[in-house]
Amino acid sequence: MTAQAAESRELATVIGLEVHVQLETETKIFCGCSTEQADEPNTNTCPVCLGLPGSLPVLNEAAVEAAVKIGKAIDADIPEETTFHRKNYYYPDLPKNFQITQYDSPICQDGELEFSHESDRRRVGIRRAHLEEDPGSIKHVREGTGPLESRTCSIDRADYTLVDYNRAGTPLMEIVTRPDFRDPGEVRAFLEKLEEVLEYLGVFDPTRDGSLRIDANLSLVDAAAVNDDGSIDEAVLEDANRTEVKNISSHRGAEKALAFEASRQKKLVQSGREVAQETRHFNETHGNTVGMRSKEAEKDYRYFREADLPPLRVSHWKAEIPIPELPDARRDRFVAEYGLSEEAASKLTSTKQVADFFEAVAERFDADLAATWVADELLGELNYRDMAITDIDDRFDEVERLVELVAEDEITTKNAREIVLRTMLDEGDHPDDIAEAADLGKTSGDEVQQAVEAAIDENPDAVEDYHDGDDGAINFLVGQVMQKTGGSADPDDVNQSLREALK
Ligand code: ADP
Ligand code: MG
Ligand code: ZN
């Protein structure tokens, strides 16, 4: 193609993901070592995960159960028989010089996941999801006297490298999507949904460093090759030169890396150059990707059957292992059962913890109050402080007490929101102590009535304005009453009492 023809070409972006998820099990996938994060390197190890000669792997049942749960959640087929393979390569984090993984009969096949993006419902195919072991972790270090953490650096600047086998053997599920994404924003929305589902299933700990790691494949094809239904023919996909960006560890990182990569490839194509099929590395700090190596081909890995592990027959587990109600179903139920808006229901079901908490509060008080306090007030204030629900999940009883104070009319909604909740989050105090210290007890009806009468007596001008039809004058009077009651009256009640009194 001439450069001119290339420039005028309309291009479509094609993206497919390989997502590595650490499964939350107590022990590693092929040995009894703990998966807890240890303070000291190389302490959660044994002959199996160190790859010592003569040691034999034993498959962890909990990891297989987690895989089956994921399979159910993404509506995948679980084959009669699934097997393990050795993927051979040499690297310091891989003491056996091979990784035990799955190859031609993965435990989950042909699933899909639905998610929302820009108010569209999108569905992405999951080609496969397979079990494998995590390698160890390595750290490149510069010589020096400061603490180790301050001396870690990229490999090209390192004086030496440290290896830690604590992570080696942590169970992983690698989830491989079809190349169904058409822009980086969709990828981010998908990852958020995937994490939600994994969390609901209780198989994944999102707060753990490196628990979700993403490789993202991107290519450009002629826009004309996209069929009317949005699909693209296999042959076109096969033909497109794609890059695989490694080392992405967050949703936002994935979006950023792919946006960079899409524009880099577009510039190449539009200037009439080729996109090299290669593996690239995402640099989170610079927001760019750099070439690492030409993409290895499957044959480089010399896959062969892991003879130390027998074939696994667990297809019947799909019927036996229950999974909880998933976010979509729960959202729809919240709309139907509690009369919530789609938006509120989505917010409330975004994590299982929030949804469970909402239901507990809704059962004790009422759904509207629970939705307001959990979805709007609590999540809003947490968000504002860059806090997560997990930061306060041991204080749900205190939040419930706050809702109770409002429900029983002991404090005003305004004070509950602006003083009690904020102080709870900022200072860690108990709602009762905050209410007492700030003297927030709601002023009784009598006191409000007295203040209303006093305000009317003292402000004849405002009263006259009100009677002349100046409705704004009522706000002035409300302000006077609020002042007299030290802000502890409910402004709406005061407004009403004033209007009554002025009739
Ligand atoms: P490989 O055999 O190289 O591992 P796969 O067919 O297994 O390739 O796919 C690996 C990943 O690449 C998948 O996530 C898939 O969605 C993605 N992929 C496949 N074709 C394309 C393409 N043309 N553009 C972008 N991603 C693609
Ligand atoms: Mg692959
Ligand atoms: Zn071990």
Side-chain angles (χ1 to χ4, degrees), residues 154-301:
S154 58
I155 188 166
D156 47 316
R157 297 170 58 213
D159 294 309
Y160 60 92
T161 294
L162 298 172
V163 60
D164 177 5
Y165 292 118
N166 282 346
R167 196 181 74 179
T170 300
L172 287 184
M173 193 79 171
E174 179 177 337
I175 300 170
V176 182
T177 76
R178 295 187 180 279
D180 288 347
F181 300 99
R182 296 292 174 263
D183 81 67
E186 277 181 6
V187 168
R188 182 171 176 175
F190 168 86
L191 290 170
E192 276 163 15
K193 179 61 180 289
L194 178 66
E195 228 186 84
E196 251 174 65
V197 168
L198 294 169
E199 216 196 323
Y200 263 72
L201 294 173
V203 299
F204 170 70
D205 176 6
T207 63
R208 190 171 172 142
D209 230 21
S211 55
L212 191 93
R213 306 196 298 272
I214 304 141
D215 299 338
N217 303 273
L218 186 144
S219 68
L220 299 174
V221 302
D222 258 317
V226 181
N227 303 322
D228 287 343
D229 63 358
S231 67
I232 299 174
D233 295 346
E234 274 308 316
V236 176
L237 293 171
E238 281 282 315
D239 223 32
N241 268 6
R242 65 176 197 254
T243 57
E244 177 173 3
V245 183
K246 297 252 187 209
N247 185 44
I248 307 172
S249 57
S250 68
H251 309 166
R252 219 166 58 89
E255 188 177 16
K256 251 170 63 180
L258 287 165
F260 178 89
E261 193 51 24
S263 105
R264 190 189 68 85
Q265 288 191 18
K266 260 177 208 157
K267 279 183 205 144
L268 285 177
V269 174
Q270 284 167 349
S271 61
R273 280 177 287 170
E274 277 255 311
V275 174
Q277 184 119 330
E278 64 180 354
T279 302
R280 297 179 70 85
H281 176 92
F282 176 51
N283 184 321
E284 186 114 41
T285 328
H286 300 137
N288 65 359
T289 69
V290 290
M292 285 201 316
R293 55 179 190 248
S294 61
K295 199 170 159 20
E296 43 299 86
E298 204 168 274
K299 63 176 179 6
D300 297 333
Y301 289 121

Side-chain angles (χ1 to χ4, degrees), residues 3 15 37 84-85 124 128 148 166 233 272 277 282 291 324 326 372-373 376 406 450 477 500:
I15 300 167
Q37 255 153 350
F84 290 88
H85 274 71
V124 157
R128 55 184 284 154
L148 187 65
N166 282 346
D233 295 346
Q277 184 119 330
F282 176 51
L326 293 175
T372 305
W373 279 92
D376 300 340
V406 177
Q450 276 171 16
L477 291 170
E500 280 293 316

Side-chain angles (χ1 to χ4, degrees), residues 448-500:
V448 174
Q449 206 49 43
Q450 276 171 16
V452 163
E453 278 157 26
I456 290 172
D457 284 348
E458 289 162 21
N459 299 284
D461 291 350
V463 172
E464 199 179 319
D465 289 348
Y466 175 73
H467 282 134
D468 289 346
D470 175 7
D471 210 56
I474 201 88
N475 294 332
F476 172 77
L477 291 170
V478 170
Q480 295 298 302
V481 176
M482 293 306 287
Q483 219 169 49
K484 286 177 192 299
T485 56
S488 62
D490 187 278
D492 289 338
D493 291 350
V494 171
N495 192 306
Q496 235 177 13
S497 305
L498 277 165
R499 288 181 196 277
E500 280 293 316

Side-chain angles (χ1 to χ4, degrees), residues 122-134:
R122 291 275 292 117
R123 186 171 293 186
V124 157
I126 310 280
R127 234 191 40 202
R128 55 184 284 154
H130 66 254
L131 280 166
E132 62 186 28
E133 58 181 336
D134 212 350

Side-chain angles (χ1 to χ4, degrees), residues 331-442:
R331 181 197 59 223
D332 294 347
R333 180 167 65 78
F334 278 15
V335 170
E337 189 174 328
Y338 300 111
L340 300 179
S341 68
E342 278 271 331
E343 197 199 339
S346 292
K347 255 200 222 172
L348 287 168
T349 50
S350 64
T351 78
K352 185 165 183 298
Q353 254 183 335
V354 170
D356 288 345
F357 180 51
F358 162 76
E359 290 215 273
V361 177
E363 196 169 306
R364 241 191 97 187
F365 306 101
D366 80 285
D368 281 344
L369 198 67
T372 305
W373 279 92
V374 180
D376 300 340
E377 309 295 358
L378 180 61
L379 292 184
E381 294 291 331
L382 286 175
N383 191 29
Y384 177 74
R385 286 165 179 72
D386 235 345
M387 288 168 76
I389 194 76
T390 44
D391 293 324
I392 60 128
D393 56 6
D394 53 346
R395 300 178 66 202
F396 281 166
D397 54 334
E398 292 178 38
V399 180
E400 213 170 309
R401 173 64 184 150
L402 172 62
V403 179
E404 184 177 47
L405 288 172
V406 177
E408 296 191 341
D409 241 3
E410 290 189 33
I411 57 177
T412 65
T413 303
K414 187 167 182 290
N415 283 337
R417 177 195 309 134
E418 290 174 10
I419 299 179
V420 182
L421 180 58
R422 290 179 189 172
T423 312
M424 278 174 70
L425 296 178
D426 292 336
E427 315 290 339
D429 298 340
H430 192 281
D432 283 315
D433 298 337
I434 300 163
E436 200 183 300
D439 198 15
L440 299 182
K442 228 183 191 177

